[in-house]
Amino acid sequence: MVYLDYSATTPVNPEVLESFIKVTRDYIGNANSIHKLGVDAKKLMDAATRQIADILAVEKEEIIYTSGASEANNAAIKGICLKYRNRGCHIITTELEHSSVLATFQYLESIGFKVSYAKLDSMGRVDLDALEKMIQSDTLLVSIASVNSEIGIRQDISAIGKIMQKYPKVFFHSDMTQSVGKENVDLTSVDLASMSSQKFYGLKGIGVLYKRNGIEIEPLIHGGKSTTIYRSGTPALPLIVSFSKALRLAYVDFKRHYEQVMMLHQYLISELETVEDIEINSNEFCLPHIVNISVLGVKPEVILHALEEEEIYVSTQTACSSNTHLSQAVFAVTKDKSRAESSIRISISHLSTKEELATFISVLKQKISHLKSLGD
């Protein structure tokens, strides 16, 4: 098997799974309970939260646990807009956001908010001057992902954050799901940030919303005591501990892992450039873990299933995208409908090998040639 869909989800690190099993078995108490089992569970949860906060260089009280990045994005965006609606109703995002951000903006637009989409340059980066000019007296929120999940385009979150400092009444949220664990992240530039364990070899079903102290949000879930007033429900202790473990391990040997991905990225790009009928949509501003291509004249799902026959796994759009044949992110950057309708995402990891990529390239060439011959 050749797995090239790491940006959708990563395999669970065995050490993380062991921690999850141990906590599930040994800590049966509810961390909200005041008896000994509950107190023991809370001590462990607090230690895990402190570790997460230390790694992210934030305060323990700024960590809100969620079921994943989609919930974290919804909690941040809806939470800010509903809490501070009296300040204004203008919100800004980009066309490169994850569907959990775009759909949330569309919902808010349906209940009276005004949505603007930041201008992108030819490389898919936010035009900073244009962004600042978009900020109005009633602007409430700017939400821009650190890394686009389909093409891998990095945004200059630090530079955007400096602009936002001039407007203290405008909140800045960033979906950092594709950054955390893959590159060093700096949360000092943002007010809120979303992330998910499954993107860095942790378990599915646990995410974090970072919320700067002093900021309030309207909760999505009301009722029931939890780790914070902003997200009710019994604390999922085994998942919380596993998140902490996965995050710590993601930054062990980080430099070596990143260099390995860079080497594989360069090899993959050089090989893809030799394949006819392929356009590479990713560019030098992209995270090396993601390479987006278009196989012109062939539907992406056809390529995906053709590769699947040989146990090679890639993706068309992000796994959470709506059921559409056009990649909005690719179209936003390339302005080319044919490329947007035929895009494929290849996402690699330090666990990937050069041999796997060579197999992928060889099979891809064969499949493209065969599919093209069927159309002749």
Side-chain angles (χ1 to χ4, degrees):
M1 181 183 76
V2 177
Y3 185 71
L4 298 174
D5 199 17
Y6 286 92
S7 288
T9 191
T10 54
V12 178
N13 185 315
E15 292 183 54
V16 174
L17 185 58
E18 285 176 15
S19 293
F20 175 83
I21 293 171
K22 178 176 174 57
V23 175
T24 300
R25 182 183 62 235
D26 298 346
Y27 289 82
I28 63 172
N30 184 330
N32 291 331
S33 299
I34 60 173
H35 53 58
K36 184 180 184 302
L37 294 179
V39 171
D40 289 344
K42 188 173 188 308
K43 285 180 180 177
L44 181 61
M45 182 175 69
D46 287 345
T49 304
R50 277 195 299 272
Q51 178 167 272
I52 294 168
D54 288 346
I55 294 170
L56 297 175
V58 301
E59 299 298 322
K60 183 168 75 75
E61 297 75 19
E62 296 176 319
I63 299 295
I64 300 172
Y65 294 111
T66 69
S67 62
S70 289
E71 183 189 333
N73 285 332
N74 273 262
I77 297 165
K78 291 177 183 173
I80 287 291
C81 289
L82 297 178
K83 186 69 178 181
Y84 296 96
R85 189 170 189 173
N86 62 312
R87 288 191 189 177
C89 60
H90 179 232
I91 52 181
I92 300 171
T93 189
T94 79
E95 294 178 303
L96 298 180
E97 303 305 305
H98 187 267
S99 60
S100 62
V101 171
L102 292 174
T104 303
F105 269 76
Q106 290 165 6
Y107 163 74
L108 289 168
E109 190 170 33
S110 74
I111 61 171
F113 284 84
K114 298 181 297 181
V115 176
S116 296
Y117 293 89
K119 180 183 177 183
L120 306 175
D121 65 20
S122 60
M123 291 294 181
R125 304 257 284 181
V126 170
D127 183 320
L128 299 180
D129 291 335
L131 173 64
E132 185 163 11
K133 289 175 183 176
M134 293 175 70
I135 298 174
Q136 306 165 7
S137 60
D138 64 341
T139 302
L140 182 58
L141 172 73
V142 172
S143 181
I144 297 174
S146 57
V147 173
N148 166 261
S149 59
E150 285 190 47
I151 309 174
I153 297 169
R154 287 185 177 107
Q155 300 297 339
D156 191 340
I157 296 300
S158 177
I160 296 171
K162 288 178 181 177
I163 292 172
M164 300 311 300
Q165 287 174 4
K166 303 177 189 178
Y167 305 91
K169 290 190 176 181
V170 182
F171 297 98
F172 180 27
H173 165 255
S174 182
D175 178 358
M176 293 192 170
T177 310
Q178 293 295 342
S179 292
V180 176
K182 296 175 184 174
E183 58 181 355
N184 290 316
V185 296
D186 179 5
L187 300 183
T188 60
S189 299
V190 302
D191 297 309
L192 307 104
S194 309
M195 59 201 76
S196 175
S197 171
Q198 64 169 318
K199 306 298 184 181
F200 47 86
Y201 313 96
L203 289 156
K204 300 175 183 66
I206 180 71
V208 157
L209 171 62
Y210 159 73
K211 181 191 66 64
R212 187 185 302 282
N213 278 335
I215 296 173
E216 296 184 23
I217 58 174
E218 186 67 26
L220 294 180
I221 303 170
H222 294 85
K225 183 181 176 184
S226 190
T227 60
T228 169
I229 62 172
Y230 300 109
R231 208 278 193 175
S232 297
T234 302
L237 181 63
L239 287 172
I240 289 169
V241 172
S242 71
F243 186 104
S244 178
K245 184 73 167 284
L247 186 64
R248 179 177 67 79
L249 293 176
Y251 287 101
V252 173
D253 289 332
F254 175 78
K255 185 173 183 292
R256 181 173 61 84
H257 290 165
Y258 192 86
E259 289 173 349
Q260 169 74 1
V261 171
M262 278 298 302
M263 180 273 291
L264 293 171
H265 172 88
Q266 291 164 1
Y267 170 74
L268 179 59
I269 292 292
S270 66
E271 291 297 309
L272 286 169
E273 288 175 340
T274 69
V275 183
E276 291 185 18
D277 301 311
I278 279 185
E279 294 282 354
I280 300 175
N281 299 316
S282 298
N283 56 51
E284 62 265 34
F285 291 105
C286 292
L287 191 75
H289 301 69
I290 298 174
V291 176
N292 189 289
I293 64 173
S294 291
V295 183
L296 301 180
V298 182
K299 292 181 179 179
E301 61 270 23
V302 173
I303 289 286
L304 184 148
H305 292 305
L307 292 170
E308 184 182 26
E309 291 173 356
E310 309 300 327
E311 294 191 312
I312 298 173
Y313 299 94
V314 297
S315 64
T316 51
Q317 301 177 45
T318 60
C320 299
S321 292
S322 59
N323 186 23
T324 175
H325 297 295
L326 184 143
S327 166
Q328 185 169 331
V330 173
F331 185 73
V333 175
T334 66
K335 310 301 182 188
D336 186 325
K337 188 176 179 181
S338 62
R339 287 169 72 166
E341 289 178 333
S342 58
S343 67
I344 292 171
R345 182 184 67 183
I346 306 145
S347 49
I348 60 178
S349 155
H350 67 277
L351 300 177
S352 304
T353 67
K354 191 173 180 179
E355 291 72 25
E356 287 177 335
L357 296 183
T359 298
F360 162 68
I361 293 294
S362 175
V363 173
L364 179 64
K365 288 179 178 178
Q366 294 171 21
K367 297 296 183 179
I368 292 174
S369 176
H370 174 67
L371 291 169
K372 287 286 187 180
S373 69
L374 295 177
D376 291 341

